[in-house]
Amino acid sequence: VPADVIVEPQTISKIDAENNNDIRSIRIERYGWPKYLVDTGAKPISARVHPRENTPETLYRASDGKHRFIVIDPATSKQVCLAVPREIQTCEQAQSFVSHGFDNTAICRT
C-alpha cells in the first residue's frame, strides 16, 4: 500500500484516480463509505434499523447506478459497504440477499 494511503487524508480526487481496486477500496474505507457515497452524489433509497441487531442500515443508489448497502457487521461491529443488485429496493431485500435468505429465519447469532 502506498504511504499516502495511510498518512495523508483521502479525497474524492485521490480515490477516483486510483486504478488498483484493492487500494481504492482502502482509500474509500479511510474516507468513510457513507461520506464517500454522499459526497459523490449517491442517494439513499431505503433506511432502517435492523430489527434483531438494532443497527442502522442504509441502501444507496450511487451516481453510476450501482446499489451499495451500508451495514454494521455483527461479528466485528465494523461498518461495511456491500454491493447488491440494482433490482433491490429496500434494506430488507438487501439484507436477505447478503444473508442468502437466512437473516429472515435466524433467531440469534453466535
Side-chain angles (χ1 to χ4, degrees):
V1 174
D4 74 293
V5 174
I6 305 304
V7 299
E8 294 179 15
Q10 299 305 299
T11 64
I12 298 296
S13 59
K14 285 181 183 178
I15 292 166
D16 289 347
E18 183 59 61
N19 292 323
N20 181 301
N21 284 335
D22 292 329
I23 294 173
R24 184 174 191 274
S25 180
I26 295 167
R27 286 186 189 278
I28 295 172
E29 188 171 318
R30 291 214 49 243
Y31 190 83
W33 269 104
K35 184 176 186 313
Y36 174 77
L37 289 169
V38 170
D39 291 353
T40 56
K43 304 292 183 209
I45 57 174
S46 180
R48 74 171 185 165
V49 173
H50 190 283
R52 185 182 57 255
E53 305 292 345
N54 199 32
T55 55
E57 300 176 337
T58 307
L59 179 64
Y60 287 89
R61 180 177 296 113
S63 57
D64 62 4
K66 294 178 181 176
H67 286 189
R68 299 287 186 247
F69 187 44
I70 303 286
V71 296
I72 305 296
D73 180 340
T76 64
S77 298
K78 182 179 176 182
Q79 191 173 53
V80 295
C81 180
L82 306 169
V84 296
R86 292 179 183 171
E87 299 80 38
I88 289 177
Q89 297 297 312
T90 68
C91 288
E92 185 176 5
Q93 291 171 339
Q95 188 61 251
S96 182
F97 174 80
V98 300
S99 69
H100 306 285
F102 290 114
D103 189 68
N104 296 331
T105 59
I107 296 171
C108 65
R109 295 178 196 242
T110 56

